[in-house]
Amino acid sequence: MRILNASGCLDALAAPEVARQLDAFVTKTVTPLPREGNAPPRIAETAHGMLNAIGLANPGRERFLAEHLPRLRELGLPLWVSVGGFCADDYAETCTHLEGIEAIELNLSCPNVDEAADSAAEIVAACRRTTELPLFAKLSAAHPDVAEVARAVAAAGADGLSLINTLRAVALDRLLRPALARGSGGLSGPALKPVALHAVSVCHEATGLPIVGMGGIETGRDALEFAVCGARDIALGTVLFSDPGAPTRVREELEAAATEAGVVIVDDGKGLAKSPETQRKVPA
Ligand SMILES: Cc1cc2nc3c(=O)[nH]c(=O)nc-3n(C[C@H](O)[C@H](O)[C@H](O)COP(=O)(O)O)c2cc1C
């Protein structure tokens, strides 16, 4: 099992020592044009999680490619670039400019922008025509049948899935006003974990594609639960804000968590090779 960061939860240039604990670094989502993002406050704490309404703030494709990507390469880590946009052509155009990275993650699921996107399968198909790099489709569990979306993006040429993005939610402040200027935001952190485990489980059943599981992972035990539900690799998001040492800690905790649960992790170089015990079916 490899440990990645969840997109948008780590600035590798500001905190290279955190990034170097990872097996691969995933960038913040890049859109064709620069975006300031939403007005502050854009972050709020909730019970068992946090809300963010960053709104895909990023320098835009041109500056990302010219300034950020070359500096990220200096970290010496395998890189995943998270690509966003507002129509299939936006995504496909960015994909044509990407090379020398390990994979592209297509952010098909940001809850913090108002623009309606083309369908997930349409976007994946457009990107598939422009690049041979592995394409990971990042989906939201907000869809009533996430497995159906997973099947559609698999048929359109996705090589893997990243599951899950945040879920739209609201928090109120002491005076009962929305805590975020935008009103709603994306819920992340431990509150998301059961939803994410379900999504990983049904999408694994539906497609058999490699899955990067994320959503509230804080411990080695959490990571193991994602593996049992079908994730090959995992990503750490919200936990990085409170514990920058989480990648190393979670990696260390994995072994003990597996022993305690009576399962064995066999690393075959591709991720988690499941032992017979971990192959047991997890009910959808
Ligand atoms: C502050 C913040 C910014 C995020 N930005 C992005 C982003 O740019 N692109 C994306 O695909 N997901 C983004 N996400 C979602 C995370 O990548 C991840 O899917 C989600 O937070 C669930 O994982 P977690 O509970 O471990 O944080 C963001 C999450 C947070 C908390």
Side-chain angles (χ1 to χ4, degrees):
M1 167 184 287
R2 298 200 311 158
I3 300 183
L4 288 66
N5 63 296
S7 173
C9 297
L10 175 64
D11 180 346
L13 297 178
E17 69 290 352
V18 180
R20 287 203 186 90
Q21 298 170 57
L22 299 164
D23 296 303
F25 174 73
V26 186
T27 70
K28 168 97 188 144
T29 297
V30 183
T31 54
L33 296 175
R35 288 176 63 89
E36 296 257 312
N38 297 315
R42 322 198 274 191
I43 301 264
E45 279 192 38
T46 61
H48 314 297
M50 71 182 249
L51 252 57
N52 90 82
I54 305 290
L56 296 184
N58 79 96
R61 178 168 64 213
E62 209 169 299
R63 254 188 76 204
F64 172 79
L65 291 169
E67 295 172 28
H68 293 233
L69 192 53
R71 290 178 62 207
L72 286 170
R73 287 191 201 284
E74 287 169 15
L75 290 169
L77 278 169
L79 294 179
W80 290 36
V81 174
S82 169
V83 173
F86 304 101
C87 63
D89 286 347
D90 283 352
Y91 288 81
E93 172 72 21
T94 303
C95 288
T96 61
H97 293 280
L98 293 171
E99 54 185 16
I101 57 170
E102 188 175 87
I104 295 172
E105 186 173 84
L106 300 173
N107 180 359
L108 306 173
S109 47
C110 182
N112 293 323
V113 290
D114 289 325
E115 296 88 339
D118 289 343
S119 84
E122 215 176 315
I123 294 168
V124 172
C127 296
R128 186 71 295 162
R129 289 191 287 274
T130 68
T131 182
E132 290 183 358
L133 285 168
L135 288 175
F136 274 66
K138 183 160 179 186
L139 305 180
S140 159
H143 192 280
D145 187 353
V146 65
E148 185 190 309
V149 184
R151 266 190 294 269
V153 296
D159 301 290
L161 304 170
S162 295
L163 298 167
I164 58 175
N165 212 319
T166 54
L167 288 176
R168 193 168 288 187
V170 163
L172 301 182
D173 69 11
R174 205 173 48 83
L175 297 175
L176 300 175
R177 299 166 306 196
L180 298 175
R182 185 182 151 79
S184 67
L187 176 66
S188 65
L192 215 53
K193 193 180 82 171
V195 180
L197 290 176
H198 177 261
V200 168
S201 172
V202 295
C203 291
H204 175 63
E205 283 274 336
T207 67
L209 286 178
I211 293 175
V212 182
M214 71 198 83
I217 299 177
E218 293 195 320
T219 64
R221 163 71 199 202
D222 294 334
L224 196 61
E225 290 183 16
F226 276 77
V228 170
C229 288
R232 192 176 77 178
D233 297 315
I234 58 108
L236 303 177
T238 301
V239 68
L240 293 174
F241 294 103
S242 57
D243 181 6
T248 301
R249 179 179 53 75
V250 167
R251 195 175 287 115
E252 284 167 4
E253 288 171 357
L254 253 177
E255 199 71 31
T259 307
E260 198 184 333
V263 298
V264 186
I265 300 169
V266 187
D267 196 343
D268 66 352
K270 293 188 204 137
L272 185 76
K274 290 181 184 135
S275 68
E277 293 92 332
T278 61
Q279 271 165 356
R280 68 177 174 254
K281 283 234 158 57
V282 178

